[in-house]
Amino acid sequence: MSVNADLVIAGSGLFGLTVAERCARDLGLRVLVAERRDHLGGNAYSEVESSTGIEVHRYGAHLFHTSNERVWEYVNRFTSFTGYRHRVFTIFKGRVYPMPINLGTICAYFGRAMSPDEARALVAEQAAEVTDPANLEEKAISLVGRPLYEAFIRGYTAKQWQTDPRELPPEIITRLPVRYTFDDRYFNDRYEGLPAGGYTAWLERMADHPNIEVRLGTDFFDLDAAGNVPVVYTGPLDRYFDHAEGRLGWRTLDFEPEVVATGDFQGTPVMNYADEDVPYTRIHEFRHFHPEREYPPDRTVIVREYSRFAEAGDEPYYPIDTAADRVRLLRYRDLARAEKGVWFGGRLGTYQYLDMHMAIASALTMYDNRLRPHFAARGTKGAR
Ligand code: FAD
Ligand code: UDP
């Protein structure tokens, strides 16, 4: 397939679309976005379930949150956001608790009212067994003590990672706050919300420019672009180099959707399942992400989420990042640096877990520091 563009972007996720939008609107470049899937938007894509009209995020629930002023200003050019605030509950042995662990969780679990100081003192006593945490289990015990760890973290983490928590890095658990107040919000960021008109309308608006062509169902490797047009590549890093240094490990998720004949299945958007003998990690009920919308009173869409190691052909979702992966990643980074006229970005292109706001921020940085100077030096229009 031939290419008639100033810049080719492999992948139409938030990273690729941000670069496309900036280069087309700000520099007047003709941008071709090649997207392997039959829709744009990468993993943030959502669609309407036809029998209920409920918006479902096809690749797992996506909650937008950021404290980055520039990113917040940028995304508001394409969509407004609802006032949605994410809250999660978890079920352990038939009882429901707020998650992440906060004063409400601690009081409910130990079955008595405690002040913040009392709860702190109790957890400190239970956490004292670990002084120098070297893995996820030890880190979690050092943060919340063994009883809360065994109830809310051990089983869930084992299901999510299929790996003994003693073999996982401590950083994974520090993504979750522990609070000695009744604040049960999931995120700490200044800005939070869901795109009022849905994710797909937002993503389509980013690509809506006469200089941007999105070619769906098109694998970048089938384009005849190599060598003559600058490229921003947001597909898997190892695939670009034909897995020459071996495959980078990923976790994948299986989503099991079901339309249920009730107006409310679980009373909240996300319910985690902490018990190890429940095979799924959580259930999403998508109507609750948009309480401001009119949805049917007698039907609802739920999605059970299961986690496992990705095999060839599975969607790569979360980098596993073992020591062996990190060694391979360094070799791929060297290869990537040596690749002239190709910039690697996004979560697949850098083998990094990136939230949406981080993918957008890193695309804006690539635009500022690499792409704009590159095209300015060559004279913008028609640059090769
Ligand atoms: P992607 O969205 O993955 O886009 C990459 C695109 O490249 C894909 O469309 C792919 O088809 C395409 N592609 C790959 N190879 C080729 C090729 N050879 N040719 C053509 N096209 C190709 N972030 C949040 O902020 N909040 C959340 O709540 C949240 N929840 C998440 C839940 C899950 C289960 C996952 C996996 C991620 C979640 N994220 C969340 C992160 C969010 O999905 C990412 O920040 C975002 O997808 C990053 O965009 P990207 O462009 O880097 O990658
Ligand atoms: N986690 C847990 N119990 C929960 C929720 C999360 O033990 O109810 C742990 C789990 O190890 C998970 C980590 O906290 O990988 C980070 O949680 P987050 O919700 O950020 O996970 P994600 O779904 O983004 O992987």
Side-chain angles (χ1 to χ4, degrees):
M1 249 179 282
S2 68
V3 167
N4 181 19
D6 303 314
L7 173 67
V8 169
I9 300 178
S12 67
L14 276 166
F15 192 98
L17 287 181
T18 302
V19 169
E21 192 277 339
R22 290 291 70 217
C23 288
R25 198 173 303 272
D26 227 28
L27 300 181
L29 298 183
R30 291 166 305 148
V31 181
L32 172 65
V33 183
E35 172 52 60
R36 201 173 46 180
R37 293 172 174 166
D38 63 2
H39 62 77
L40 93 177
N43 283 1
Y45 173 77
S46 71
E47 60 204 335
V48 170
E49 196 287 319
S50 58
S51 72
T52 57
I54 294 173
E55 179 183 351
V56 174
H57 307 167
R58 191 194 281 188
Y59 303 95
H62 276 63
L63 300 319
F64 188 81
H65 56 98
T66 187
S67 293
N68 182 320
E69 297 289 343
R70 184 181 186 200
V71 168
W72 183 240
E73 186 280 319
Y74 181 71
V75 297
N76 274 276
R77 295 181 196 179
F78 311 104
T79 179
S80 58
F81 287 82
T82 66
Y84 178 81
R85 299 287 175 265
H86 196 43
R87 288 187 169 80
V88 173
F89 294 87
T90 186
I91 294 182
F92 173 66
K93 290 197 193 302
R95 288 175 187 265
V96 181
Y97 302 86
M99 192 74 200
I101 293 170
N102 63 70
L103 194 49
T105 323
I106 298 171
C107 292
Y109 182 77
F110 292 106
R112 64 178 196 272
M114 274 181 263
S115 70
D117 285 344
E118 285 166 340
R120 253 182 234 283
L122 177 69
V123 169
E125 193 186 309
Q126 294 175 342
E129 66 173 280
V130 175
T131 45
D132 191 13
N135 57 52
L136 191 152
E137 174 163 307
E138 291 172 4
K139 182 73 192 176
I141 293 173
S142 77
L143 290 170
V144 298
R146 187 175 285 277
L148 292 168
Y149 163 72
E150 289 185 350
F152 300 117
I153 297 174
R154 189 173 62 190
Y156 187 94
T157 299
K159 285 193 290 187
Q160 193 161 4
W161 294 90
Q162 288 95 52
T163 303
D164 188 318
R166 282 168 295 200
E167 285 162 28
L168 287 168
E171 295 77 44
I172 292 175
I173 202 62
T174 49
R175 296 221 292 263
L176 286 186
V178 179
R179 302 197 191 102
Y180 292 94
T181 66
F182 288 101
D183 177 1
D184 60 352
R185 278 181 59 183
Y186 208 73
F187 303 116
N188 285 325
D189 281 316
R190 185 173 317 146
Y191 305 110
E192 185 179 343
L194 291 170
Y199 275 98
T200 298
W202 165 16
L203 298 158
E204 281 174 351
R205 215 160 294 143
M206 290 180 79
D208 184 15
H209 189 280
N211 282 7
I212 300 178
E213 181 195 348
V214 180
R215 232 179 259 176
L216 298 177
T218 303
D219 196 308
F220 165 75
F221 295 105
D222 294 336
L223 290 178
D224 191 13
N228 47 44
V229 184
V231 169
V232 171
Y233 177 82
T234 75
L237 181 58
D238 51 0
R239 165 68 187 92
Y240 186 92
F241 297 103
D242 289 324
H243 308 105
E245 302 292 343
R247 282 182 189 270
L248 294 166
W250 292 87
R251 254 178 349 110
T252 193
L253 300 173
D254 294 318
F255 297 109
E256 190 183 271
E258 187 184 342
V259 176
V260 186
T262 172
D264 198 348
F265 176 80
Q266 62 184 16
T268 195
V270 179
M271 185 64 80
N272 287 359
Y273 285 81
D275 297 289
E276 210 169 342
D277 56 357
V278 176
Y280 38 86
T281 49
R282 48 190 173 184
I283 299 182
H284 306 274
E285 185 176 6
F286 278 92
R287 68 182 304 128
H288 291 299
F289 288 122
H290 288 283
E292 78 285 1
R293 291 186 187 164
E294 290 262 339
Y295 280 147
D298 56 350
R299 275 163 301 147
T300 194
V301 182
I302 62 164
V303 178
R304 292 188 179 82
E305 181 175 318
Y306 302 79
S307 178
R308 61 180 170 82
F309 287 107
E311 290 165 21
D314 285 328
E315 285 293 340
Y317 281 127
Y318 295 100
I320 298 174
D321 210 14
T322 60
D325 285 323
R326 283 195 286 271
V327 170
R328 284 188 202 111
L329 179 60
L330 290 178
R331 298 205 190 112
Y332 281 123
R333 280 194 188 147
D334 286 341
L335 290 173
R337 257 191 299 274
E339 197 74 3
K340 290 277 166 284
V342 183
W343 293 275
F344 294 82
R347 59 179 204 99
L348 300 167
T350 57
Y351 190 65
Q352 255 184 314
Y353 179 80
L354 298 175
D355 270 329
M356 292 181 278
H357 65 105
M358 295 155 84
I360 294 165
S362 106
L364 291 172
T365 302
M366 178 186 280
Y367 172 72
D368 288 347
N369 297 347
R370 305 291 184 87
L371 299 170
R372 193 169 50 190
H374 173 85
F375 286 104
R378 301 178 125 204
T380 295
K381 279 242 158 191
R384 286 289 188 277

